[in-house]
Amino acid sequence: DLYRKVFVFRKDPSDAYVVLQAQLEQPLRNFTVCLRSYTDLSRPHSLFSYATKGQDNEILLFKPKPEEYRFYVGGKFVTFRVPEGRREWEHVCASWESSTGIAEFWLNGKPWPRKGLQRGYTVGATAAILLGQEQDSFGGGFDVYNSFSGELTDVYLWDAGLSPEKMRAAFLSLRLPPALLAWNSLSYQVKGDVVVKQRLRE
């Protein structure tokens, strides 16, 4: 149980990553991914990378610079411009709905204007899911200068879009619906220099 714990990616740049195991019964036509990160990186870095054999950026949360997040579905992306962080924890949730192609992005419990992305697309179910690196091939092909350095916690993946109330609940660490990936019952493997530690502050 990773309650009140974090993954610390100690090195910069780094070849370390964490592999997440999720039980996906079928391809995703809707999903929400949430996580909390704490870093002083100003270079590009990957937060959540979900690759299939046919598409390395099937789902990707990527931060090319401090004032920008990129959200990829099926190799295409939309950009969300954000205020430059004050070196504090940042909580992000991104959700996507195939039928409308609507991409939602929430930062610290607040929604950004919705954007259109990959309407009618289906996300493959046989996936390699990684924290800390961006996959350029299935389960590998890393560029260390896109690696994450810092702390990650509260990682979730749902096979549904979350309501605004649940998006805010995720930010506040309140009770959440059952998930494909849930921080409190995460199935994971650490590869390289990543340490599990207590969170320093709430």
Side-chain angles (χ1 to χ4, degrees), residues 17 58 60 68 70 79 114 120 167:
Y17 58 102
E58 193 72 280
L60 175 64
E68 196 175 289
R70 274 187 197 167
T79 297
R114 287 173 277 201
M167 288 288 202

Side-chain angles (χ1 to χ4, degrees), residues 39-198:
T39 180
D40 58 6
L41 289 176
S42 53
R43 63 164 174 76
H45 55 277
S46 173
L47 293 161
F48 181 95
S49 171
Y50 175 120
T52 56
K53 293 212 162 74
Q55 176 52 256
D56 54 358
N57 294 335
E58 193 72 280
I59 303 172
L60 175 64
L61 265 179
F62 191 76
K63 206 167 181 198
K65 46 191 176 197
E67 64 281 359
E68 196 175 289
Y69 279 91
R70 274 187 197 167
F71 176 34
Y72 287 75
V73 176
K76 305 268 172 56
F77 70 89
V78 284
T79 297
F80 294 93
R81 287 173 188 82
V82 299
E84 191 167 338
R86 296 189 302 278
R87 302 286 180 254
E88 293 184 357
W89 282 97
E90 285 189 2
H91 183 266
V92 295
C93 286
S95 79
W96 173 80
E97 181 179 70
S98 175
S99 62
T100 58
I102 289 287
E104 272 187 36
F105 181 82
W106 291 66
L107 177 66
N108 296 335
K110 296 187 179 68
W112 254 235
R114 287 173 277 201
K115 302 198 172 184
L117 183 62
Q118 290 286 56
R119 189 175 190 164
Y121 187 78
T122 303
V123 169
T126 309
I129 308 174
L130 268 53
L131 303 176
Q133 297 286 350
E134 191 229 330
Q135 303 174 74
D136 283 329
S137 59
F138 187 72
F142 308 140
D143 173 351
V144 294
Y145 294 103
N146 286 332
S147 64
F148 178 78
S149 167
E151 305 189 15
L152 284 179
T153 188
D154 294 349
V155 181
Y156 288 86
L157 174 67
W158 289 271
D159 56 356
L162 292 196
S163 67
E165 295 71 38
K166 293 283 185 263
M167 288 288 202
R168 284 188 276 273
F171 168 59
L172 296 168
S173 298
L174 303 176
R175 235 185 110 200
L176 294 165
L180 298 170
L181 287 171
W183 187 249
N184 292 350
S185 57
L186 206 60
S187 208
Y188 68 92
Q189 267 183 308
V190 168
K191 304 283 190 180
D193 196 345
V194 181
V195 184
V196 175
K197 296 290 284 180
Q198 291 291 111

